[in-house]
Amino acid sequence: MALAIAVALGACSSSSSTAGSRPSAVAIPTTTTVPPVARMTHRAAVSPIYSQGLARFGDGWVFSGTRWLAHTDGALHQTAINSHAIPPTWLAKGYDHIGDIDIVGDVLYAPYEEPNYSLGHQATATYDARTLRFESAVVLQQHQNSFVTVDPKTMIAYSMDQFGGGALLRYDVAHAWKRLAPLKLSRFVDKVQGADIADGAAWLSTDDAHKELYRVDLETGHVDALVSQGFLKGEGEGIDATSLSSGLLHALVVPPTLAPVYLQDFRTAE
């Protein structure tokens, strides 16, 4: 946000000026960058099984739980569910947890996680976003996998190696998930549980001490803190970035009571 600042120069005039003359005030245009902020506009209670992630799809949503995926309409009424979303073959490999999801076109991307983080591999699966039917999965060399988000313009997928870190992992989805150079962040961001790509930025949801939402510039890696979700003794979870009347950001937070889960909308101002 550009701000014009008038700077008064106190320098004296040239030697030809008469004694006692006042110094002139000159308006010099300068700019300063004000970090983006966000404010909550709406809160809705949703089913406690919608506790991991979400993605906008058509006029409604797809939510992820630990092992399930569910469609809702725009009023958050459930219309379909895949209650065994992780196929038995992948469960047998130890992948027992779905994190924050994303949808590009008709493809739903879901991060799978197995609990032995020291093994250094996790998996990401794809589903038909309309039917929630499993299509395929790929094993990736990273220690944790709380979220995946895909930039629809570049088809680059983003994740993190650990729950917190100073970089976002990047993969070229169109070329068999080829590993790309990570995006270095301007600061460490802890306990990232969800992310989505929109408007040239990655929008992060965290379970840090403040349950903070963040904006990451995709070109520079600059990180701005936006707003706390509240429920500081609860858990911050997934996030979606879709421009709706309620705002751009839609994030999940689990209160200490575990139920209901809250979907909170935020309007950003830059």
Side-chain angles (χ1 to χ4, degrees), residues 5 26 44 73 92 103 107 112 118 142 166 172 200 202 214 243 261 265 270:
I5 302 177
V26 180
D73 61 19
I103 295 175
V107 180
Y112 285 176
S118 64
Q142 58 188 82
D172 186 343
Y214 294 88
S243 183
V261 170
D265 300 326
E270 297 186 55

Side-chain angles (χ1 to χ4, degrees), residues 69 82 85 126-136:
L69 298 167
N82 180 347
T126 58
Y127 292 77
D128 183 316
R130 296 185 180 278
T131 65
L132 304 181
R133 184 180 298 115
F134 172 85
E135 293 182 339
S136 65

Side-chain angles (χ1 to χ4, degrees), residues 115-199:
N116 188 353
Y117 304 140
S118 64
L119 295 177
H121 63 76
Q122 299 292 350
T124 293
T126 58
Y127 292 77
D128 183 316
R130 296 185 180 278
T131 65
L132 304 181
R133 184 180 298 115
F134 172 85
E135 293 182 339
S136 65
V138 59
V139 175
L140 303 172
Q141 300 306 306
Q142 58 188 82
H143 290 86
Q144 295 164 354
N145 198 20
S146 62
F147 70 88
V148 63
T149 181
V150 179
D151 186 339
K153 295 181 179 179
T154 64
M155 292 309 293
I156 293 176
Y158 293 78
S159 188
M160 289 188 86
D161 184 55
Q162 306 281 352
F163 292 137
L168 292 177
L169 299 180
R170 301 191 298 177
Y171 299 95
D172 186 343
V173 175
H175 293 85
W177 291 79
K178 177 183 177 182
R179 183 81 168 258
L180 303 175
L183 176 64
K184 185 177 180 181
L185 305 183
S186 64
R187 55 169 287 184
F188 182 92
V189 183
D190 200 16
K191 297 183 179 179
V192 181
Q193 294 295 300
D196 201 11
I197 302 295
D199 297 345

Side-chain angles (χ1 to χ4, degrees), residues 50-117:
Y50 303 162
S51 61
Q52 297 301 309
L54 76 164
R56 187 72 176 178
F57 186 63
D59 294 330
W61 302 92
V62 177
F63 289 90
S64 58
T66 305
R67 297 190 186 183
W68 43 80
L69 298 167
H71 272 292
T72 76
D73 61 19
L76 301 173
H77 300 133
Q78 184 172 294
T79 58
I81 188 168
N82 180 347
S83 56
H84 302 283
I86 304 177
T89 53
W90 286 91
L91 282 171
K93 295 176 183 179
Y95 297 100
D96 62 359
H97 184 282
I98 297 174
D100 185 32
I101 59 176
D102 199 8
I103 295 175
V104 176
D106 289 337
V107 180
L108 186 152
Y109 298 88
Y112 285 176
E113 197 168 69
E114 55 84 23
N116 188 353
Y117 304 140

